[in-house]
Amino acid sequence: MSTPSTVMPSDEALLSAVGTGDREALRMLYDRHAPWLTLRLARRCADADAVDDALQDTFVAVWRSAGRYHGGGAVGAWLWGIAIRRLIDALRRRPQREFFSAERPAIEPSAEEQVLLGVQHGDLGGALERLSPELRAVVQATILDGLTTREASTLLGIPAGTVKTRAMRARMLLRQELA
């Protein structure tokens, strides 16, 4: 007697079901993607609460916008794009704390977290704003969001070679701006 094999629905099928209000599909999508999203977000932010908030906000956004996903790329890349933006939003919402010399923070913010918090201000923020929208989108996807060239290509809907070329051009312009 053989046991029937359970076929796991694809990410696309789950998103489609979520778009129709299927809570079980959302749970399955969460179970499948939350672990790796948490790890990637935690590499970018030392604050576990901010990571948890970003993850929760990500799946709330998925619940609300799943019907708008039309298979333009890998579901994982789409989820990562939402998650990293939610993390950046969470970091921007946090009040800046001042520490007295006798105080030491329990967790030192990562260098990446400090950069993300400072992107809006200072020379880097201004230099990014002066980039063309196409170059800024590539910088956002590859540098700030940490996507691979392939993931950025999928997310932006452009060839991987174009992502590489735009990233190289953006780096060159940013070096000139910040020198």
Side-chain angles (χ1 to χ4, degrees):
M1 178 188 254
S2 65
T3 59
S5 62
T6 305
V7 176
M8 296 299 291
S10 69
D11 287 342
E12 291 80 6
L14 289 174
L15 267 179
S16 178
V18 171
T20 64
D22 186 338
R23 290 179 186 261
E24 180 62 19
L26 181 66
R27 186 197 59 77
M28 291 175 72
L29 199 63
Y30 180 90
D31 289 346
R32 188 177 292 174
H33 291 280
W36 71 264
L37 284 169
T38 302
L39 286 173
R40 282 190 77 178
L41 291 170
R43 287 187 196 138
R44 284 156 179 77
C45 177
D47 183 342
D49 290 335
V51 169
D52 290 344
D53 289 347
L55 188 67
Q56 179 179 356
D57 291 348
T58 296
F59 283 94
V60 168
V62 168
W63 177 254
R64 291 179 179 158
S65 64
R68 287 182 261 158
Y69 177 82
H70 297 292
V75 172
W78 184 71
L79 290 171
W80 175 246
I82 295 170
I84 193 66
R85 283 170 186 76
R86 293 306 183 264
L87 179 61
I88 292 168
D89 290 345
L91 293 175
R92 286 179 180 156
R93 284 191 307 262
R94 288 188 341 194
Q96 293 294 322
R97 290 181 33 185
E98 291 184 31
F99 295 101
F100 296 101
S101 59
E103 281 187 71
R104 295 197 76 80
I107 299 174
E108 292 289 328
S110 69
E112 202 167 56
E113 183 179 7
Q114 291 172 359
V115 169
L116 290 174
L117 289 171
V119 163
Q120 283 185 305
H121 311 289
D123 296 337
L124 180 57
L128 286 171
E129 286 300 314
R130 288 185 286 279
L131 289 176
S132 70
E134 296 83 13
L135 297 180
R136 193 170 41 249
V138 168
V139 169
Q140 174 74 36
T142 59
I143 297 171
L144 299 178
D145 294 350
L147 298 178
T148 66
T149 299
R150 185 171 155 210
E151 290 169 333
S153 168
T154 301
L155 181 68
L156 299 172
I158 58 176
T162 303
V163 171
K164 290 178 184 179
T165 301
R166 288 180 183 174
M168 182 178 68
R169 190 162 167 236
R171 280 193 299 271
M172 180 185 70
L173 291 171
L174 287 172
R175 276 190 206 107
Q176 290 172 357
E177 283 272 336
L178 298 172

